[in-house]
Amino acid sequence: MSQEKILSVTELSRLISHTLDYQIPTFRVAGEISQFTKASSGHYYFSIKDDLSAMSVVMFRGRTANLDFQPKQGDMVELKGKLSLFAARGSLQIQVDEMRRAGMGTLFEQYLRILDKLKQEGLFDAEHKLAIPPYPRRVGIITSLQAAALQDVLTTLRRRAPQFSVTVYPSLVQGADAADELMRALAQAELRHEVDVILLVRGGGSLEDLWCFNDERLARLIAASSIPIVSGVGHETDTTIADHVADLRAATPTAAAELITKAAYALPATLSEFTQRIHRVMSQVRSDSYARFSDTMPRLHHRIERLLLDKSMRFDELKSRLVAPQRIFDQYEERRLQLQLALLRNWQALCTNKITQLEQLTLRLKAKKPNIEAERERLLQWQERLNRSIHQQLSAHQQAFIQHKQLLHTMNPKQVLQRGFSIVYDVEGHVVQTIEQLDVGQELQLEFASGRAAAYVKSLNSHTEE
């Protein structure tokens, strides 16, 4: 009697996964999003449901990057994907390849058809665009009187160009009658011809909300307008056919108002004026600084050189006495801070002394009334020599400082630990240097670059033993 094969859980999971891959093709399903979660990895986990059923869904990060909207709880969506088995829980889930808002497919295809048709006719070509006047005095706005976009545009115009005359042509901007209303308002503006530029604006929304701006009749009327039209419909990611056919497209209604104002034209002149004033002030400050510290700088450089030499000698002394590296390093750091404070105090004292001497010399010079032109020539010569000397001294000291810094960095024991070495301490914290300091069973502390570990001596093997 033959025995039936007994499968493991893993084998059964693989069998189910294999069956799903080959027996159930890719499909589309529509429903409502619930229990939506965006993981830190970028994957989406949620359920899709209708009135009677619900199923788990996963959409991996590589697929979510292609979405043109952010899914959320309660959204009606259409999914394209396949069934998969989550082996860890033994549960079925839909693995999604594509997702779009429910009902968006037909509208979007219609949008693409109109877009391609008008593009083939050349309505989007740059040669058909009208130039936006740089200094429009009269501005027309086509939008709803209740729209927040109207207030945004009016506020921007008042702030940037209060001298503009504004005319509002009210119209619906959403709904079945919105396209006809927009065409009527545009025709009214064209007939009156009382403005220099027209702003066609509306706030953001879904594809359905903005559909009136994709009307083919409206697009043709915009293209035929003799008045330049700036389109500011929706947000940055919203693009309608009206945006393509308009003479200029702005990302938002506020951006449309900013594009036609000329406040930016005054900015270069203002910047130029401030730049000149800054240059004059900096030139004066630089001249005063050179005159004040001409005698102080050489002595300060000499002092720095002496301090660096002392530091180098101290470093050599500490290097020969290196036993507890971290303690020596801490002492050296404390000494460096003390020297830095001493240098600062000496520098301040020298500056104060030189300022006093400079003031005294100034009084003496005023009393003696020297030859101004000759002294000025000598001062310029000394200033040039001083600048060269300062540059040479600074370069030399900077190079020496870098060398000492690199040497100190090289001698830091922590750098040795970073290369895989470790320091061995006994229980009293003394560094173990030879095998003769160890006994079998003795407790030790090992210090690595990332921390410490305890160890015990199991056996001793000296290199001198046969």
Side-chain angles (χ1 to χ4, degrees):
M1 180 177 179
S2 62
Q3 295 182 346
E4 294 182 354
K5 180 180 179 181
I6 300 176
L7 300 177
S8 67
V9 176
T10 299
E11 290 174 334
L12 180 59
S13 296
R14 290 175 180 172
L15 178 61
I16 295 174
S17 297
H18 181 80
T19 303
L20 291 174
D21 289 340
Y22 288 94
Q23 298 298 323
I24 302 180
T26 300
F27 57 86
R28 292 184 180 274
V29 61
E32 178 185 348
I33 291 179
S34 66
Q35 300 178 353
F36 182 83
T37 301
K38 181 178 180 180
S40 58
S41 60
H43 306 327
Y44 291 171
Y45 299 96
F46 57 95
S47 296
I48 186 168
K49 66 177 184 177
D50 56 19
D51 295 337
L52 300 178
S53 303
M55 287 197 68
S56 297
V57 180
V58 59
M59 189 173 191
F60 296 119
R61 181 176 57 186
R63 301 295 187 182
T64 62
N66 299 324
L67 294 179
D68 58 357
F69 71 102
Q70 176 59 52
K72 61 181 183 300
Q73 186 85 2
D75 282 354
M76 296 298 296
V77 294
E78 296 177 2
L79 308 178
K80 178 183 177 182
K82 61 182 180 179
L83 282 178
S84 65
L85 179 68
F86 184 34
R89 291 200 306 260
S91 59
L92 284 176
Q93 62 184 8
I94 302 175
Q95 183 176 323
V96 177
D97 296 326
E98 298 176 7
M99 176 166 46
R100 65 185 182 186
R101 294 188 181 94
M104 181 178 173
T106 303
L107 282 179
F108 190 68
E109 291 174 0
Q110 185 178 352
Y111 166 82
L112 293 178
R113 285 197 301 271
I114 298 174
L115 186 69
D116 184 68
K117 177 181 180 181
L118 297 182
K119 183 178 181 180
Q120 294 297 328
E121 296 180 13
L123 267 65
F124 305 158
D125 295 345
E127 59 191 36
H128 296 152
K129 306 290 186 181
L130 299 178
I132 306 301
Y135 300 99
R137 293 180 300 172
R138 301 167 300 172
V139 178
I141 304 174
I142 299 179
T143 190
S144 171
L145 294 177
Q146 290 75 35
L150 176 60
Q151 298 304 319
D152 293 341
V153 171
L154 292 177
T155 300
T156 302
L157 292 178
R158 282 195 295 268
R159 174 172 52 85
R160 296 172 59 91
Q163 71 275 18
F164 282 4
S165 172
V166 178
T167 302
V168 179
Y169 302 94
S171 170
L172 296 175
V173 291
Q174 181 176 337
D177 299 327
D180 293 332
E181 286 281 319
L182 290 170
M183 294 172 60
R184 180 195 57 77
L186 185 57
Q188 185 181 24
E190 181 76 19
L191 180 63
R192 293 181 181 178
H193 212 81
E194 58 189 355
V195 295
D196 301 318
V197 64
I198 296 174
L199 302 183
L200 181 62
V201 296
R202 184 208 189 280
S206 64
L207 178 62
E208 292 84 351
D209 295 337
L210 303 178
W211 187 249
C212 58
F213 293 93
N214 295 319
D215 189 280
E216 181 179 349
R217 299 170 301 159
L218 176 62
R220 295 185 182 279
L221 192 60
I222 293 174
S225 174
S226 62
I227 303 173
I229 297 177
V230 178
S231 174
V233 178
H235 300 305
E236 180 69 32
T237 57
D238 298 324
T239 303
T240 65
I241 292 177
D243 292 325
H244 289 283
V245 76
D247 299 299
L248 182 64
R249 187 227 173 199
T252 63
T254 300
E258 291 174 347
L259 286 174
I260 66 168
T261 55
K262 63 178 183 179
Y265 290 101
L267 184 59
T270 303
L271 290 177
S272 177
E273 179 183 355
F274 276 105
T275 301
Q276 294 176 4
R277 292 172 61 183
I278 291 173
H279 285 325
R280 289 196 297 268
V281 172
M282 290 180 62
S283 178
Q284 183 63 38
V285 171
R286 185 167 55 250
S287 300
D288 295 342
S289 300
Y290 285 149
R292 181 175 299 175
F293 298 108
S294 58
D295 294 333
T296 306
M297 293 303 293
R299 296 188 180 184
L300 180 61
H301 291 161
H302 179 69
R303 180 64 177 172
I304 293 175
E305 184 177 0
R306 289 292 304 274
L307 290 174
L308 290 176
L309 180 60
D310 293 341
K311 179 189 279 189
S312 177
M313 296 173 61
R314 178 62 175 164
F315 176 78
D316 292 337
E317 180 184 355
L318 291 175
K319 183 173 64 175
S320 64
R321 296 163 53 190
L322 185 62
V323 177
Q326 186 61 46
R327 185 170 66 253
I328 299 299
F329 183 84
D330 293 341
Q331 293 174 355
Y332 185 80
E333 179 66 13
E334 182 179 358
R335 177 60 179 165
R336 185 190 67 80
L337 293 175
Q338 293 174 355
L339 291 175
Q340 183 177 353
L341 292 175
L343 176 62
L344 179 60
R345 288 194 295 268
N346 291 337
W347 181 83
Q348 291 174 343
L350 286 173
C351 287
T352 303
N353 185 31
K354 292 306 176 182
I355 290 174
T356 303
Q357 293 181 9
L358 181 61
E359 291 174 350
Q360 294 174 354
L361 290 174
T362 301
L363 294 176
R364 293 173 59 187
L365 287 174
K366 288 183 178 179
K368 293 182 179 181
K369 296 183 179 179
N371 187 334
I372 301 300
E373 295 299 326
E375 293 298 325
R376 179 180 299 169
E377 183 66 22
R378 289 182 59 196
L379 180 61
L380 291 175
Q381 293 175 359
W382 279 103
Q383 180 177 344
E384 182 178 356
R385 293 175 61 186
L386 176 61
N387 288 339
R388 290 196 300 269
S389 177
I390 290 173
H391 180 73
Q392 294 172 359
Q393 290 290 332
L394 284 177
S395 298
H397 293 327
Q398 184 177 11
Q399 184 64 31
F401 182 79
I402 291 175
Q403 292 175 356
H404 284 97
K405 181 179 178 181
Q406 292 176 346
L407 180 58
L408 179 61
H409 182 72
T410 303
M411 295 303 298
N412 187 353
K414 296 298 183 180
Q415 294 300 116
V416 178
L417 298 183
Q418 291 290 345
R419 297 197 297 269
F421 292 92
S422 63
I423 302 175
V424 182
Y425 299 90
D426 59 21
V427 293
E428 296 179 356
H430 298 126
V431 177
V432 178
Q433 298 179 342
T434 65
I435 195 172
E436 286 75 17
Q437 296 177 252
L438 300 176
D439 295 317
V440 174
Q442 181 178 354
E443 180 182 358
L444 300 176
Q445 292 289 327
L446 305 181
E447 182 176 358
F448 301 91
S450 60
R452 286 198 173 200
Y456 292 89
V457 177
K458 183 177 180 180
S459 62
L460 297 174
N461 297 310
S462 174
H463 292 309
T464 60
E465 294 178 359
E466 292 296 326

PDB file of all heavy atoms in Angstrom, residues 32-37 46-47 49 70-76:
ATOM      1  N   GLU A  32     -12.395  50.339  -2.471  1.00  0.00           N
ATOM      2  CA  GLU A  32     -12.081  51.455  -1.571  1.00  0.00           C
ATOM      3  C   GLU A  32     -10.885  51.083  -0.687  1.00  0.00           C
ATOM      4  O   GLU A  32     -10.799  49.969  -0.176  1.00  0.00           O
ATOM      5  CB  GLU A  32     -13.292  51.775  -0.681  1.00  0.00           C
ATOM      6  CG  GLU A  32     -13.042  52.884   0.326  1.00  0.00           C
ATOM      7  CD  GLU A  32     -14.216  53.096   1.268  1.00  0.00           C
ATOM      8  OE1 GLU A  32     -15.306  52.530   0.983  1.00  0.00           O
ATOM      9  OE2 GLU A  32     -14.053  53.809   2.270  1.00  0.00           O
ATOM     10  N   ILE A  33      -9.965  52.036  -0.520  1.00  0.00           N
ATOM     11  CA  ILE A  33      -8.785  51.817   0.328  1.00  0.00           C
ATOM     12  C   ILE A  33      -9.178  51.922   1.794  1.00  0.00           C
ATOM     13  O   ILE A  33      -9.885  52.847   2.199  1.00  0.00           O
ATOM     14  CB  ILE A  33      -7.682  52.841   0.012  1.00  0.00           C
ATOM     15  CG1 ILE A  33      -7.098  52.583  -1.379  1.00  0.00           C
ATOM     16  CG2 ILE A  33      -6.577  52.795   1.058  1.00  0.00           C
ATOM     17  CD1 ILE A  33      -6.024  53.572  -1.782  1.00  0.00           C
ATOM     18  N   SER A  34      -8.699  50.955   2.597  1.00  0.00           N
ATOM     19  CA  SER A  34      -8.873  51.025   4.051  1.00  0.00           C
ATOM     20  C   SER A  34      -7.603  50.512   4.712  1.00  0.00           C
ATOM     21  O   SER A  34      -6.803  49.813   4.092  1.00  0.00           O
ATOM     22  CB  SER A  34     -10.081  50.193   4.504  1.00  0.00           C
ATOM     23  OG  SER A  34      -9.849  48.809   4.261  1.00  0.00           O
ATOM     24  N   GLN A  35      -7.412  50.898   5.991  1.00  0.00           N
ATOM     25  CA  GLN A  35      -6.245  50.480   6.778  1.00  0.00           C
ATOM     26  C   GLN A  35      -4.944  50.779   6.044  1.00  0.00           C
ATOM     27  O   GLN A  35      -4.018  49.974   5.970  1.00  0.00           O
ATOM     28  CB  GLN A  35      -6.328  48.992   7.104  1.00  0.00           C
ATOM     29  CG  GLN A  35      -7.561  48.620   7.914  1.00  0.00           C
ATOM     30  CD  GLN A  35      -7.656  47.128   8.182  1.00  0.00           C
ATOM     31  OE1 GLN A  35      -6.882  46.348   7.655  1.00  0.00           O
ATOM     32  NE2 GLN A  35      -8.611  46.749   8.989  1.00  0.00           N
ATOM     33  N   PHE A  36      -4.848  51.989   5.466  1.00  0.00           N
ATOM     34  CA  PHE A  36      -3.682  52.356   4.662  1.00  0.00           C
ATOM     35  C   PHE A  36      -2.479  52.647   5.562  1.00  0.00           C
ATOM     36  O   PHE A  36      -2.588  53.369   6.545  1.00  0.00           O
ATOM     37  CB  PHE A  36      -3.991  53.589   3.807  1.00  0.00           C
ATOM     38  CG  PHE A  36      -2.846  54.002   2.918  1.00  0.00           C
ATOM     39  CD1 PHE A  36      -2.656  53.392   1.697  1.00  0.00           C
ATOM     40  CD2 PHE A  36      -1.962  54.987   3.326  1.00  0.00           C
ATOM     41  CE1 PHE A  36      -1.603  53.769   0.882  1.00  0.00           C
ATOM     42  CE2 PHE A  36      -0.911  55.374   2.519  1.00  0.00           C
ATOM     43  CZ  PHE A  36      -0.732  54.757   1.284  1.00  0.00           C
ATOM     44  N   THR A  37      -1.305  52.069   5.220  1.00  0.00           N
ATOM     45  CA  THR A  37      -0.069  52.298   5.969  1.00  0.00           C
ATOM     46  C   THR A  37       1.081  52.452   4.987  1.00  0.00           C
ATOM     47  O   THR A  37       1.229  51.648   4.064  1.00  0.00           O
ATOM     48  CB  THR A  37       0.243  51.114   6.910  1.00  0.00           C
ATOM     49  OG1 THR A  37      -0.837  50.943   7.825  1.00  0.00           O
ATOM     50  CG2 THR A  37       1.531  51.371   7.685  1.00  0.00           C
ATOM     51  N   PHE A  46      -2.190  48.046   2.612  1.00  0.00           N
ATOM     52  CA  PHE A  46      -3.557  48.470   2.875  1.00  0.00           C
ATOM     53  C   PHE A  46      -4.500  47.341   2.464  1.00  0.00           C
ATOM     54  O   PHE A  46      -4.068  46.272   1.991  1.00  0.00           O
ATOM     55  CB  PHE A  46      -3.892  49.763   2.116  1.00  0.00           C
ATOM     56  CG  PHE A  46      -3.698  49.685   0.620  1.00  0.00           C
ATOM     57  CD1 PHE A  46      -4.758  49.376  -0.232  1.00  0.00           C
ATOM     58  CD2 PHE A  46      -2.455  49.946   0.065  1.00  0.00           C
ATOM     59  CE1 PHE A  46      -4.582  49.330  -1.589  1.00  0.00           C
ATOM     60  CE2 PHE A  46      -2.271  49.895  -1.316  1.00  0.00           C
ATOM     61  CZ  PHE A  46      -3.339  49.589  -2.133  1.00  0.00           C
ATOM     62  N   SER A  47      -5.788  47.588   2.656  1.00  0.00           N
ATOM     63  CA  SER A  47      -6.813  46.648   2.199  1.00  0.00           C
ATOM     64  C   SER A  47      -7.685  47.352   1.172  1.00  0.00           C
ATOM     65  O   SER A  47      -7.861  48.576   1.224  1.00  0.00           O
ATOM     66  CB  SER A  47      -7.683  46.191   3.377  1.00  0.00           C
ATOM     67  OG  SER A  47      -6.919  45.465   4.321  1.00  0.00           O
ATOM     68  N   LYS A  49     -11.595  47.090  -0.439  1.00  0.00           N
ATOM     69  CA  LYS A  49     -12.847  46.466  -0.040  1.00  0.00           C
ATOM     70  C   LYS A  49     -14.006  47.013  -0.851  1.00  0.00           C
ATOM     71  O   LYS A  49     -13.923  48.059  -1.495  1.00  0.00           O
ATOM     72  CB  LYS A  49     -13.090  46.716   1.449  1.00  0.00           C
ATOM     73  CG  LYS A  49     -13.336  48.186   1.795  1.00  0.00           C
ATOM     74  CD  LYS A  49     -13.655  48.376   3.265  1.00  0.00           C
ATOM     75  CE  LYS A  49     -13.997  49.846   3.568  1.00  0.00           C
ATOM     76  NZ  LYS A  49     -14.390  50.054   4.974  1.00  0.00           N
ATOM     77  N   GLN A  70      -1.163  60.751  -4.088  1.00  0.00           N
ATOM     78  CA  GLN A  70      -0.879  60.102  -2.803  1.00  0.00           C
ATOM     79  C   GLN A  70      -2.140  59.387  -2.312  1.00  0.00           C
ATOM     80  O   GLN A  70      -3.117  60.042  -1.954  1.00  0.00           O
ATOM     81  CB  GLN A  70      -0.434  61.141  -1.772  1.00  0.00           C
ATOM     82  CG  GLN A  70      -0.207  60.568  -0.375  1.00  0.00           C
ATOM     83  CD  GLN A  70       0.846  59.476  -0.347  1.00  0.00           C
ATOM     84  OE1 GLN A  70       1.941  59.668  -0.843  1.00  0.00           O
ATOM     85  NE2 GLN A  70       0.519  58.327   0.209  1.00  0.00           N
ATOM     86  N   PRO A  71      -2.146  58.066  -2.312  1.00  0.00           N
ATOM     87  CA  PRO A  71      -3.342  57.342  -1.837  1.00  0.00           C
ATOM     88  C   PRO A  71      -3.598  57.631  -0.364  1.00  0.00           C
ATOM     89  O   PRO A  71      -2.674  57.898   0.408  1.00  0.00           O
ATOM     90  CB  PRO A  71      -2.968  55.866  -2.053  1.00  0.00           C
ATOM     91  CG  PRO A  71      -1.812  55.880  -2.986  1.00  0.00           C
ATOM     92  CD  PRO A  71      -1.090  57.145  -2.744  1.00  0.00           C
ATOM     93  N   LYS A  72      -4.883  57.531   0.011  1.00  0.00           N
ATOM     94  CA  LYS A  72      -5.238  57.744   1.423  1.00  0.00           C
ATOM     95  C   LYS A  72      -6.488  56.942   1.745  1.00  0.00           C
ATOM     96  O   LYS A  72      -7.160  56.402   0.845  1.00  0.00           O
ATOM     97  CB  LYS A  72      -5.463  59.234   1.704  1.00  0.00           C
ATOM     98  CG  LYS A  72      -6.577  59.884   0.927  1.00  0.00           C
ATOM     99  CD  LYS A  72      -6.688  61.355   1.269  1.00  0.00           C
ATOM    100  CE  LYS A  72      -7.851  62.032   0.548  1.00  0.00           C
ATOM    101  NZ  LYS A  72      -7.721  61.959  -0.907  1.00  0.00           N
ATOM    102  N   GLN A  73      -6.788  56.892   3.029  1.00  0.00           N
ATOM    103  CA  GLN A  73      -7.956  56.148   3.508  1.00  0.00           C
ATOM    104  C   GLN A  73      -9.229  56.647   2.828  1.00  0.00           C
ATOM    105  O   GLN A  73      -9.487  57.845   2.758  1.00  0.00           O
ATOM    106  CB  GLN A  73      -8.061  56.325   5.041  1.00  0.00           C
ATOM    107  CG  GLN A  73      -9.146  55.504   5.704  1.00  0.00           C
ATOM    108  CD  GLN A  73      -8.672  54.095   6.020  1.00  0.00           C
ATOM    109  OE1 GLN A  73      -7.534  53.780   5.775  1.00  0.00           O
ATOM    110  NE2 GLN A  73      -9.539  53.266   6.547  1.00  0.00           N
ATOM    111  N   GLY A  74     -10.025  55.716   2.299  1.00  0.00           N
ATOM    112  CA  GLY A  74     -11.308  56.070   1.714  1.00  0.00           C
ATOM    113  C   GLY A  74     -11.272  56.328   0.228  1.00  0.00           C
ATOM    114  O   GLY A  74     -12.325  56.518  -0.391  1.00  0.00           O
ATOM    115  N   ASP A  75     -10.066  56.388  -0.407  1.00  0.00           N
ATOM    116  CA  ASP A  75      -9.981  56.622  -1.847  1.00  0.00           C
ATOM    117  C   ASP A  75     -10.557  55.436  -2.620  1.00  0.00           C
ATOM    118  O   ASP A  75     -10.340  54.274  -2.263  1.00  0.00           O
ATOM    119  CB  ASP A  75      -8.531  56.846  -2.271  1.00  0.00           C
ATOM    120  CG  ASP A  75      -8.043  58.245  -1.946  1.00  0.00           C
ATOM    121  OD1 ASP A  75      -8.875  59.058  -1.505  1.00  0.00           O
ATOM    122  OD2 ASP A  75      -6.841  58.507  -2.139  1.00  0.00           O
ATOM    123  N   MET A  76     -11.279  55.745  -3.690  1.00  0.00           N
ATOM    124  CA  MET A  76     -11.724  54.724  -4.631  1.00  0.00           C
ATOM    125  C   MET A  76     -10.659  54.600  -5.707  1.00  0.00           C
ATOM    126  O   MET A  76     -10.325  55.584  -6.373  1.00  0.00           O
ATOM    127  CB  MET A  76     -13.079  55.095  -5.234  1.00  0.00           C
ATOM    128  CG  MET A  76     -14.216  55.148  -4.235  1.00  0.00           C
ATOM    129  SD  MET A  76     -14.538  53.541  -3.446  1.00  0.00           S
ATOM    130  CE  MET A  76     -15.050  52.578  -4.874  1.00  0.00           C
TER     131      MET A  76
END
